[in-house]
Amino acid sequence: MVTAVAQRLASQRKEIDDTLATFTLSTTQLQEVKAKMRVELERGLKKDTHPTASVKMLPTYVYRTPDGTERGKYLALDLGGTNFRVLVVKIRTGMRNSVRMYNKIYAIPLEIMQGTGEELFDHIVQCISDFLDYMGMKNTRLPLGFTFSFPCNQTGIDKGDLVSWTKGFKATDCEGYDVVDMLREAIKRRNEFDLDIVAIVNDTVGTMMTCAYEDPKCQIGLIAGTGSNVCYMEEMKNIELVEGDEGQMCVNTEWGGFGENDNIEDIRTRYDREVDGGSLNPGKQRFEKMTSGMYLGEIVRQILIDLTKRGLLFRGRITERLKTKGIFETNDRLALLQVRSILQSLGLDSTCDDSIIVKEVCGAVSRRAAQLCGAGMAAIVDKIRENRGLDHLEITVGVDGTLYKLHPHFSTILKDTVRELAPNCKVDFILSEDGSGKGAALITAVIDKYLYAMRFSDETLRDIMARFRREMENGLGGDTNPTATVKMLPTFVRSIPDGSEKGDFIALDLGGSNFRILRVKVSHEKKQTVQMESQIYETPEDIIHGSGSRLFDHVAECLGDFMEKQKIKDKKLPVGFTFSFPYLDFLLNPAVLLTWTKRFKASGVEGMDVVKLLNKAIKKRGVNIMAVVNDTVGTMMTCGFDDQRCEVGIIIGTGTNACYMEELRHIDMVEGDEGRMCINTEWGAFGDDGTLEDIRTEFDREIDRGSLNPGKQLFEKMVSGMYMGELVRLILVKMAKEGLLFEGRITPELLTKGKFETKHVSAIEKSKEGLTKAKEILTRLGVEPSEDDCIAVQHVCAIVSFRSANLIAATLGAILTRLKDNKNSPRLRTTVGIDGSLYKMHPQYSRRLHKTVRRLVPESDVRFLLSESGSGKGAAMVTAWASRLTQYRHMTLFCFPDGDLGVKSFNMQLS
């Protein structure tokens, strides 16, 4: 019965995966889309092929971008969707960033969108009249620019014949007519004011010009919202529809029509065809129907109906509301966190599994849309690069549109795709101002510009995986270990718990400013059980930075206090010591500290045996250190007690590190070829040799310079909780200094190192109360944040923490692929034991990590098992095993007595 249910669920899952697989585009397919787009760009520019080209490449008669000398007062109209905007723009003389805008937004009812042309333009003029009344400017004759976001054949800067309606518009008697003349006629009919219409521009052109005012490198405009389109500055000599060979002109590509000649039929799905067939313009704007917000919600609805009909969703029940065209809006898709409530509003009684599937559907549809836009953009930037005869192009794209602004992943996927398909082009993206001052969207664009280097494509993450894999091999090699940054230290732990462990143990856990002591009782009655009692002791800053003897005396005093409270002063219990710093292991005991990390600087300890130092401090307590383990090993052993497939341990907290079970034949520092041994990677030092310089930012370097160990533990400083809050603080300080946050205010609290903690990052990223928490935290720093400031700070926190999760996923991915190769298995099934406050407490971290690992190592089934009791129980397991070893009489340990800390040879014989 259970097997039948499992088979049915597996079959249903396969059907869902097969359905969504049709929306997955390989790199090869995206390169083909790019190549086909490039062909259509060229066909649209040439006079003989223009009539049949699907990408029309319409001249705009805009010959240059702003140079900062513009001045005056202008009226602007923006018609491109269901909302229509009227603006007054005031530009001060000769100063960039000195633009003031005042605007009002007006709705265009559906009956007007699909009525007559006269009704539409009369409505527009009525809105202009209302706005001029509102501004008190009806008696002022202003120059007017008309942003008209539909395909037009322009024969001059103020002449544009509508080619065809898109985005749901269907007003009659407009196509083929000059829309500027239609607007002038409507103004005459109203006879209340006079305007000088001097230019008609597409919304992509308006976006490019707005952004070029801020960034002179901006020569491309992209709209990713209700519709989808691009313009760019083309060389005049290539535009055969316009006379003249000198200079440049902006070309409105109208790429939404791409595919109308059936050249992308291989990537269209039956759902795309259903949406197209039910649209107002079947067969037209096929690319736009696969990429724009106008249609993505409808594609999702079609998929949901199909899956429901097949019994894969909503228990096979289709509600009337789900049958209603347009009911599933793209805005709903953007609000993925509220998916359950959205489904309820559609009358759908969804399970948790249903909600997950709906999210997957939305993700597949939007990911494809972003990738297609990225492929088209790659074709354009490569064309510009080749036009200019450059090996490498640096250019900026101005962007507008709700899909780009509001969708949580669209912009990232778009940028990643452009980077992958146009590697010789460095492309920056900035958002167009929304006319309401320094809005949240513009702040977000500026942040993205600052932190662009913190966002990684999967290609970059796989490259980091490969780099770490090489460092692992260097650390395992006898010849290369001395210069390896990833030390791959043997731990002499040869197996995970097998269920036979028992006894009463003490575990000491030293790995940060808080020090924990545990009593662990492992018993065998009906089944193996573990009882633990623990107490946390603080380690003051003066002891962390004092002498080694003071540090271990403090540990001994805490141990005495604990034994007194547990009433075990007279018991001689074996002790396991979890020591969460890089050390060289000599058969579990002793352990030589290589270097302090995590702000510890106790003198006289590095290069010394920490077990000997600790035993000296606690010799009066009647206990003996049987084993010393790293916290990652303790975590792996703790989780291995519950799941014997666990063969990796990770810490993501104050510090970060990983261990895993390696084949003995690969560990040159230890003799023997049979079996396995746990390796403590000490991956925090990854990059200390410059391996990661290309992905480190100016903020990472500032963190390192101000640390206690400059040039050391560089990977740890990029990803661990010890440094994350400080990293965010440095970014906020820089943005405030440049007037992008807090109105340029910088308080003493904001300048104080350590005032912005990692726990603040976790609090700010919470989905519901995050912005409230941001306001509270920033207010305590004295900066009096606006709502926009809070949104911006939340965005900074998300980028920094996401980078950490991605980098950890890449290094873990390298370990998992090594395990897979060691086992010579086509698919890896394993468990990763994991501990640490960042992983446990951050609201998004674990999900991001798991998701990225699945992408980077697709041939694996990885269970992430949270260590509920830290590494103390694992230390007890190792101690139990070490206690058993003392019963054997024939144990020989050979190491070279020349003072070299590297273990050259071990030979252990148990009888």
Side-chain angles (χ1 to χ4, degrees):
M1 178 66 179
V2 174
T3 303
V5 171
Q7 288 176 341
R8 180 172 58 82
L9 292 175
S11 174
Q12 290 177 342
R13 182 68 249 185
K14 185 177 185 305
E15 279 193 66
I16 293 165
D17 290 344
D18 289 347
T19 298
L20 298 185
T22 61
F23 289 87
T24 301
L25 299 176
S26 66
T27 300
T28 301
Q29 287 175 305
L30 290 171
Q31 286 169 338
E32 288 173 357
V33 172
K34 174 190 171 185
K36 291 174 183 177
M37 177 68 81
R38 178 64 184 269
V39 169
E40 287 304 299
L41 295 176
E42 301 292 354
R43 292 184 75 242
L45 288 171
K46 296 186 183 303
K47 188 176 288 186
D48 56 345
T49 53
H50 176 86
T52 58
S54 63
V55 179
K56 285 301 182 186
M57 305 295 283
L58 305 173
T60 67
Y61 297 87
V62 173
Y63 292 94
R64 64 176 178 85
T65 55
D67 62 8
T69 61
E70 298 79 8
R71 63 175 180 172
K73 185 187 294 185
Y74 306 89
L75 192 66
L77 313 181
D78 187 354
L79 177 66
T82 54
N83 290 324
F84 165 63
R85 192 162 61 137
V86 188
L87 311 89
V88 165
V89 183
K90 297 179 181 178
I91 306 174
R92 292 171 60 192
T93 307
M95 295 175 62
R96 286 194 181 274
N97 305 318
S98 56
V99 178
R100 283 190 167 185
M101 297 193 226
Y102 307 87
N103 74 101
K104 281 187 78 173
I105 295 173
Y106 300 88
I108 301 180
L110 185 63
E111 64 266 24
I112 289 179
M113 288 172 61
Q114 298 180 7
T116 68
E118 189 171 297
E119 289 171 342
L120 173 62
F121 282 94
D122 283 346
H123 176 74
I124 290 170
V125 171
Q126 181 183 331
C127 296
I128 296 172
S129 177
D130 175 79
F131 179 79
L132 293 174
D133 277 336
Y134 172 74
M135 295 295 297
M137 299 172 64
K138 241 180 188 170
N139 297 322
T140 307
R141 191 172 191 267
L142 294 175
L144 182 144
F146 188 13
T147 302
F148 188 71
S149 309
F150 303 92
C152 283
N153 272 327
Q154 283 191 249
T155 54
I157 192 68
D158 63 344
K159 302 181 189 312
D161 296 341
L162 176 64
V163 175
S164 62
W165 284 118
T166 58
K167 308 175 200 174
F169 278 70
K170 221 31 178 170
T172 59
D173 303 320
C174 294
E175 292 179 350
Y177 293 94
D178 186 344
V179 293
V180 175
D181 283 346
M182 295 180 76
L183 178 59
R184 285 179 176 139
E185 290 298 319
I187 291 172
K188 286 180 183 177
R189 282 195 298 273
R190 190 160 187 98
N191 197 27
E192 286 184 9
F193 53 84
D194 192 17
L195 298 171
D196 181 16
I197 305 172
V198 297
I200 177 172
V201 296
N202 184 269
D203 55 347
T204 56
V205 183
T207 295
M208 182 190 74
M209 297 294 278
T210 298
C211 294
Y213 197 83
E214 309 291 332
D215 182 352
K217 288 195 301 181
C218 180
Q219 296 202 313
I220 304 174
L222 166 66
I223 298 294
T226 307
S228 177
N229 194 18
V230 165
C231 72
Y232 72 99
M233 296 301 294
E234 177 60 86
E235 303 301 314
M236 281 285 292
K237 64 188 179 190
N238 296 332
I239 310 172
E240 294 186 3
L241 300 176
V242 178
E243 287 188 2
D245 290 336
E246 297 298 318
Q248 298 177 321
M249 180 186 286
C250 180
V251 168
N252 166 23
T253 66
E254 288 298 338
W255 76 4
F258 180 47
E260 289 178 14
N261 56 359
D262 296 335
N263 62 344
I264 55 172
E265 284 305 293
D266 56 322
I267 62 170
R268 289 177 81 217
T269 67
R270 65 187 182 93
Y271 307 106
D272 295 309
R273 295 183 179 96
E274 286 170 5
V275 169
D276 180 37
S279 68
L280 293 171
N281 55 350
K284 303 293 184 183
Q285 299 295 109
R286 290 181 181 176
F287 188 70
E288 183 171 73
K289 288 170 185 172
M290 299 169 75
T291 58
S292 75
M294 183 82 179
Y295 300 97
L296 296 189
E298 185 61 13
I299 295 173
V300 168
R301 188 182 72 87
Q302 293 290 348
I303 298 170
L304 299 187
I305 288 175
D306 179 49
L307 293 179
T308 307
K309 284 179 179 178
R310 288 151 60 189
L312 303 173
L313 262 183
F314 313 133
R315 303 178 183 87
R317 178 174 163 267
I318 301 177
T319 63
E320 288 302 315
R321 284 180 64 77
L322 186 58
K323 293 178 185 177
T324 306
K325 182 179 175 182
I327 197 69
F328 200 91
E329 298 180 8
T330 299
N331 284 342
D332 291 339
R333 295 182 54 265
L334 300 178
L336 292 180
L337 291 173
Q338 292 86 37
V339 64
R340 196 82 179 267
S341 60
I342 292 168
L343 295 176
Q344 287 172 353
S345 72
L346 298 178
L348 296 164
D349 182 17
S350 62
T351 65
C352 184
D353 286 344
D354 289 336
S355 298
I356 291 170
I357 292 168
V358 172
K359 282 189 180 183
E360 290 177 356
V361 171
C362 293
V365 173
S366 58
R367 180 176 181 80
R368 184 190 66 167
Q371 287 180 318
L372 288 173
C373 286
M377 183 61 70
I380 288 171
V381 295
D382 259 350
K383 176 168 173 52
I384 294 172
R385 181 181 61 82
E386 291 172 21
N387 282 350
R388 300 178 186 179
L390 300 174
D391 293 328
H392 184 79
L393 173 72
E394 291 190 12
I395 198 165
T396 298
V397 179
V399 195
D400 202 0
T402 52
L403 190 58
Y404 184 93
K405 287 179 180 178
L406 302 180
H407 190 283
H409 307 302
F410 189 94
S411 62
T412 302
I413 296 167
L414 169 66
K415 293 172 187 176
D416 288 347
T417 306
V418 175
R419 270 204 301 273
E420 183 177 13
L421 300 183
N424 295 322
C425 301
K426 183 181 182 298
V427 186
D428 289 325
F429 292 77
I430 62 171
L431 277 168
S432 171
E433 286 202 51
D434 60 2
S436 58
K438 191 180 70 175
L442 181 59
I443 285 288
T444 302
V446 175
I447 295 168
D448 284 344
K449 208 170 170 188
Y450 270 105
L451 304 183
Y452 186 76
M454 287 190 173
R455 288 183 160 175
F456 303 131
S457 66
D458 282 357
E459 181 184 13
T460 300
L461 292 175
R462 289 191 183 95
D463 180 49
I464 294 167
M465 276 177 65
R467 298 182 207 181
F468 186 71
R469 181 75 183 262
R470 287 193 294 271
E471 282 301 302
M472 290 172 67
E473 289 163 1
N474 288 340
L476 289 170
D479 295 335
T480 51
N481 176 272
T483 57
T485 59
V486 180
K487 284 301 180 186
M488 306 295 284
L489 305 174
T491 68
F492 298 91
V493 172
R494 295 173 179 264
S495 67
I496 58 173
D498 61 7
S500 64
E501 300 80 12
K502 64 180 179 178
D504 196 353
F505 309 96
I506 292 175
L508 310 181
D509 188 354
L510 179 64
S513 55
N514 288 327
F515 165 58
R516 191 165 63 133
I517 305 178
L518 308 91
R519 183 182 182 185
V520 184
K521 297 179 185 178
V522 186
S523 60
H524 286 271
E525 292 177 1
K526 293 183 179 178
K527 64 176 183 177
Q528 191 178 39
T529 60
V530 176
Q531 292 178 298
M532 292 193 296
E533 298 177 69
S534 68
Q535 186 166 339
I536 294 175
Y537 296 87
E538 185 180 354
T539 308
E541 198 79 9
D542 61 319
I543 289 180
I544 288 175
H545 297 158
S547 67
S549 59
R550 279 192 70 198
L551 173 64
F552 289 107
D553 284 345
H554 173 71
V555 172
E557 288 172 13
C558 295
L559 177 59
D561 178 74
F562 181 79
M563 295 176 72
E564 182 84 40
K565 290 176 179 175
Q566 290 287 315
K567 298 180 181 177
I568 53 173
K569 285 185 68 175
D570 298 328
K571 289 191 175 185
K572 291 191 175 182
L573 299 181
V575 177
F577 184 23
T578 304
F579 188 66
S580 308
F581 302 92
Y583 63 85
L584 194 58
D585 216 333
F586 291 79
L587 193 55
L588 294 178
N589 174 359
V592 175
L593 174 65
L594 295 178
T595 180
W596 284 119
T597 58
K598 308 175 196 173
R599 299 206 335 270
F600 273 68
K601 268 294 184 184
S603 61
V605 183
E606 292 181 347
M608 303 296 289
D609 175 9
V610 293
V611 175
K612 185 176 180 180
L613 294 174
L614 181 56
N615 271 329
K616 181 180 177 182
I618 64 174
K619 62 183 178 180
K620 298 177 183 178
R621 311 289 174 187
V623 296
N624 187 39
I625 305 296
M626 299 296 300
V628 58
V629 299
N630 184 270
D631 53 349
T632 56
V633 182
T635 295
M636 183 188 74
M637 297 293 279
T638 297
C639 295
F641 185 82
D642 298 316
D643 181 347
Q644 291 206 327
R645 284 201 316 182
C646 184
E647 51 189 343
V648 182
I650 296 184
I651 299 294
I652 312 173
T654 306
T656 184
N657 194 17
C659 70
Y660 73 102
M661 297 300 293
E662 177 60 84
E663 301 297 314
L664 259 174
R665 66 180 184 271
H666 296 150
I667 309 172
D668 288 357
M669 296 177 67
V670 179
E671 279 197 354
D673 291 335
E674 297 299 319
R676 300 198 299 172
M677 180 181 287
C678 180
I679 288 292
N680 166 22
T681 67
E682 287 299 337
W683 74 10
F686 179 39
D688 286 3
D689 59 350
T691 307
L692 300 178
E693 279 309 294
D694 58 323
I695 64 169
R696 292 175 74 220
T697 67
E698 60 178 291
F699 308 107
D700 296 309
R701 295 185 179 94
E702 191 171 348
I703 287 273
D704 181 45
R705 285 194 298 271
S707 69
L708 292 171
N709 56 347
K712 304 292 184 183
Q713 300 294 114
L714 296 184
F715 182 71
E716 183 170 74
K717 288 169 186 173
M718 295 172 75
V719 299
S720 76
M722 172 70 81
Y723 302 97
M724 187 175 290
E726 184 64 8
L727 193 59
V728 170
R729 187 189 68 82
L730 291 175
I731 295 167
L732 301 187
V733 168
K734 176 158 186 178
M735 293 185 67
K737 282 181 178 177
E738 299 196 9
L740 301 169
L741 279 178
F742 319 133
E743 296 181 347
R745 290 189 302 272
I746 302 176
T747 63
E749 292 90 344
L750 187 60
L751 288 172
T752 303
K753 184 177 179 181
K755 279 289 186 180
F756 199 98
E757 300 177 41
T758 299
K759 66 181 181 182
H760 296 151
V761 177
S762 298
I764 287 170
E765 284 197 67
K766 290 181 179 176
S767 57
K768 290 184 179 178
E769 67 267 31
L771 292 178
T772 302
K773 289 291 184 184
K775 190 172 183 67
E776 291 174 5
I777 292 163
L778 295 170
T779 299
R780 287 200 295 271
L781 295 176
V783 294
E784 299 178 16
S786 66
E787 184 179 349
D788 290 343
D789 290 331
C790 293
I791 292 170
V793 171
Q794 188 178 57
H795 192 65
V796 171
C797 291
I799 290 175
V800 171
S801 63
F802 208 154
R803 181 186 72 158
S804 170
N806 278 339
L807 288 173
I808 292 285
T811 46
L812 174 57
I815 290 174
L816 294 173
T817 54
R818 183 168 182 86
L819 283 172
K820 179 175 172 292
D821 292 347
N822 283 348
K823 296 178 181 183
N824 195 25
S825 171
R827 191 166 190 87
L828 176 69
R829 289 177 173 81
T830 192
T831 296
V832 174
I834 197 159
D835 198 7
S837 54
L838 183 57
Y839 180 88
K840 287 179 177 177
M841 307 303 295
H842 190 284
Q844 313 290 341
Y845 197 98
S846 61
R847 179 183 60 81
R848 291 169 179 167
L849 174 66
H850 302 171
K851 190 174 180 181
T852 306
V853 168
R854 282 197 298 271
R855 289 201 318 273
L856 297 181
V857 195
E859 306 88 9
S860 65
D861 299 312
V862 182
R863 180 190 181 199
F864 289 88
L865 182 58
L866 183 63
S867 172
E868 298 296 341
S869 52
S871 55
K873 183 165 73 174
M877 296 297 111
V878 177
T879 304
W881 182 68
S883 297
R884 260 189 248 161
L885 289 182
T886 62
Q887 299 171 14
Y888 295 95
R889 294 184 178 180
H890 304 290
M891 177 187 295
T892 54
L893 169 66
F894 302 97
C895 75
F896 285 70
D898 58 1
D900 189 346
L901 294 180
V903 181
K904 302 289 199 312
S905 173
F906 285 94
N907 179 16
M908 183 175 72
Q909 180 179 358
L910 302 179
S911 61

